[in-house]
Amino acid sequence: MFGEQKVCFSGVQPSGNLTIGNYLGAIKNFAEFSQHYKTFYCVVDEHAITVRQNPAELRRRTYETLALYMACGLDPEKNTLYVQSMVHEHAELAWLLNCFTMFGELSRMTQFKDKSAKHSDNINAGLFTYPVLMAADILLFQTDVVPVGIDQKQHVELCRDIANRLNQIYPDLFTVPEPIMAKSGKKIMSLAEPTKKMSKSDENTNAVVYILDDKDTIIRKFKRAVTDSEAEIRFSEDKPGVSNLMTIYSCFTGNTYDEIEREFAGKGYGDFKLAVGEATADALAPVQARFAELMADKAGLEAQMKRGAEEASYYARRTLSKIQKKLGFVQIR
Ligand code: TYM
């Protein structure tokens, strides 16, 4: 909360091509918050370097992620859109919060366990303290709500613990944030292994539908999606493949699971998969068209990066200076 205004913050890593999981679980839901909240949406490039990145690709994806925010309906007049590394307060607050976060807490983070298994040759300290940088992102803006997919819930909960701990020592220092998850899009699963999250870093590109995939590719990927041998379109825990496709269809069409079951009663998986592919491609077409326009105007994106960073810095400086003062750092103006 800043003054009377409630704050919404979220971020996306420019660490790979964004997926329909990122879209349905997060970005698609961002725009509606700008009606009632002061909103900050950040391209979190500092998070991305916890695994090795190709510098040219990271730079390109940073532009692309900002352009995708805008193409997905985030109006820069109504939302502060910016790049994390251009606002140095993120990294500074992260250091301070590191000193209030326990080794044991970070050791319990499931994403750390997964990523350190996957990148066993590079278990760096940044990978371990990543949730502290994420807490800094959120707390820097006195954030009330954080729209995220379910995989980030544990990190937001740790952020709440850190905020509460500091508030006990220094009363009213931070607003304690709530994670907000989309009802049905909070966990989109892989098309190849539907018990696993769809992830932008998956090496099997057929398991993942990217926001920028063309229509033919999208339809082909859904055609190959793993289902089961029943040939019955029904939402059920023991039918993870079909249920995931139903979730995706529901998110893109607005139809409920009951309506989908009725629509496809007596039909085969082939018809259903084609319908999911078409609904997905049709919904993404306007996003892709707008994205292409925005990417053609690099100077426009850079102007937005600059303006967004200035706006974000204004709020970030206020919080950082408040905590520095409470901690006992000398402040001379
Ligand atoms: P990232 O970049 O992995 O993902 C961005 C957002 O997309 C959501 N998401 C999904 N939702 C549903 N189904 C999926 N398969 C799926 N895959 C990803 C994520 O939950 C996320 O909301 N640590 C964060 C970025 C971050 C952040 C923050 C988020 C850094 N600082 C502060 C919120 C607040 C991450 O790696 O997201």
Side-chain angles (χ1 to χ4, degrees), residues 25-26 110 147-157 179-182 185-189 197:
T110 53
V148 279
I150 207 161
D151 61 318
Q152 295 302 320
K153 186 167 171 248
Q154 192 185 35
H155 290 162
V156 182
E157 279 163 0
I180 306 258
M181 280 160 293
K186 61 178 181 285
K187 191 168 187 190
I188 301 297
M189 311 307 270
K197 183 191 89 161

Side-chain angles (χ1 to χ4, degrees), residues 9-15 18-27 30 42 44 47 69 84 90 111 115 130-131 133-138 146-153 155-156 181 184-190 196-200:
F9 180 96
S10 199
V12 175
Q13 289 194 60
S15 55
L18 299 192
T19 72
I20 57 167
N22 299 125
Y23 181 69
L24 299 176
I27 308 174
F30 288 173
C42 184
V44 290
H47 279 85
Y69 274 169
Q84 185 182 35
H90 283 266
Q111 195 173 64
K115 285 206 174 173
Y130 172 114
L133 179 58
M134 183 162 158
D137 301 340
I138 297 168
V146 187
V148 279
I150 207 161
D151 61 318
Q152 295 302 320
K153 186 167 171 248
H155 290 162
V156 182
M181 280 160 293
S184 50
K186 61 178 181 285
K187 191 168 187 190
I188 301 297
M189 311 307 270
S190 151
K196 209 180 89 183
K197 183 191 89 161
M198 184 180 284
S199 161
K200 53 172 128 70

Side-chain angles (χ1 to χ4, degrees), residues 81-82 86-87 304-314:
L81 309 178
Y82 72 104
M86 292 172 75
V87 177
Q304 174 52 40
M305 285 179 189
K306 202 157 171 275
R307 191 170 59 230
E310 279 163 12
E311 278 170 27
S313 296
Y314 169 78

Side-chain angles (χ1 to χ4, degrees), residues 149-180:
I150 207 161
D151 61 318
Q152 295 302 320
K153 186 167 171 248
Q154 192 185 35
H155 290 162
V156 182
E157 279 163 0
L158 175 66
C159 171
R160 288 170 57 86
D161 292 344
I162 298 171
N164 281 320
R165 183 170 305 143
L166 276 139
N167 283 347
Q168 278 196 345
I169 314 173
Y170 313 105
D172 300 325
L173 182 56
F174 289 126
T175 303
V176 181
E178 292 280 347
I180 306 258

Side-chain angles (χ1 to χ4, degrees), residues 57-239:
E57 261 180 42
L58 179 63
R59 203 169 292 119
R60 173 175 57 77
R61 288 194 171 125
T62 301
Y63 282 87
E64 286 179 358
T65 307
L66 184 77
L68 265 180
Y69 274 169
M70 287 153 77
C72 292
L74 294 176
D75 176 351
E77 300 297 322
K78 295 192 188 139
N79 304 273
T80 300
L81 309 178
Y82 72 104
V83 176
Q84 185 182 35
S85 61
M86 292 172 75
V87 177
H88 59 80
E89 285 83 358
H90 283 266
E92 274 182 81
L93 181 59
W95 173 253
L96 306 185
L97 300 183
N98 264 316
C99 302
F100 293 85
T101 308
M102 302 302 133
F103 182 87
E105 287 177 309
L106 293 174
S107 310
R108 285 192 290 275
M109 295 292 113
T110 53
Q111 195 173 64
F112 171 69
K113 291 187 211 161
D114 293 348
K115 285 206 174 173
S116 45
K118 202 167 158 198
H119 303 277
S120 54
D121 55 338
N122 183 25
I123 308 177
N124 61 73
L127 195 65
F128 187 62
T129 61
Y130 172 114
V132 184
L133 179 58
M134 183 162 158
D137 301 340
I138 297 168
L139 299 181
L140 203 46
F141 297 96
Q142 303 290 359
T143 299
D144 296 272
V145 294
V146 187
V148 279
I150 207 161
D151 61 318
Q152 295 302 320
K153 186 167 171 248
Q154 192 185 35
H155 290 162
V156 182
E157 279 163 0
L158 175 66
C159 171
R160 288 170 57 86
D161 292 344
I162 298 171
N164 281 320
R165 183 170 305 143
L166 276 139
N167 283 347
Q168 278 196 345
I169 314 173
Y170 313 105
D172 300 325
L173 182 56
F174 289 126
T175 303
V176 181
E178 292 280 347
I180 306 258
M181 280 160 293
K183 232 190 235 137
S184 50
K186 61 178 181 285
K187 191 168 187 190
I188 301 297
M189 311 307 270
S190 151
L191 299 190
E193 288 171 78
T195 49
K196 209 180 89 183
K197 183 191 89 161
M198 184 180 284
S199 161
K200 53 172 128 70
S201 59
D202 198 323
E203 274 156 24
N204 177 4
T205 53
N206 285 319
V208 182
V209 177
Y210 301 103
I211 300 177
L212 298 175
D213 274 346
D214 61 42
K215 188 166 184 167
D216 288 348
T217 308
I218 293 175
I219 289 177
R220 180 176 51 77
K221 287 181 176 177
F222 278 114
K223 259 191 199 158
R224 295 177 57 154
V226 168
T227 46
D228 51 55
S229 54
E230 268 185 15
E232 188 189 1
I233 290 126
R234 178 169 52 85
F235 193 90
S236 164
E237 237 175 68
D238 60 355
K239 291 170 75 70

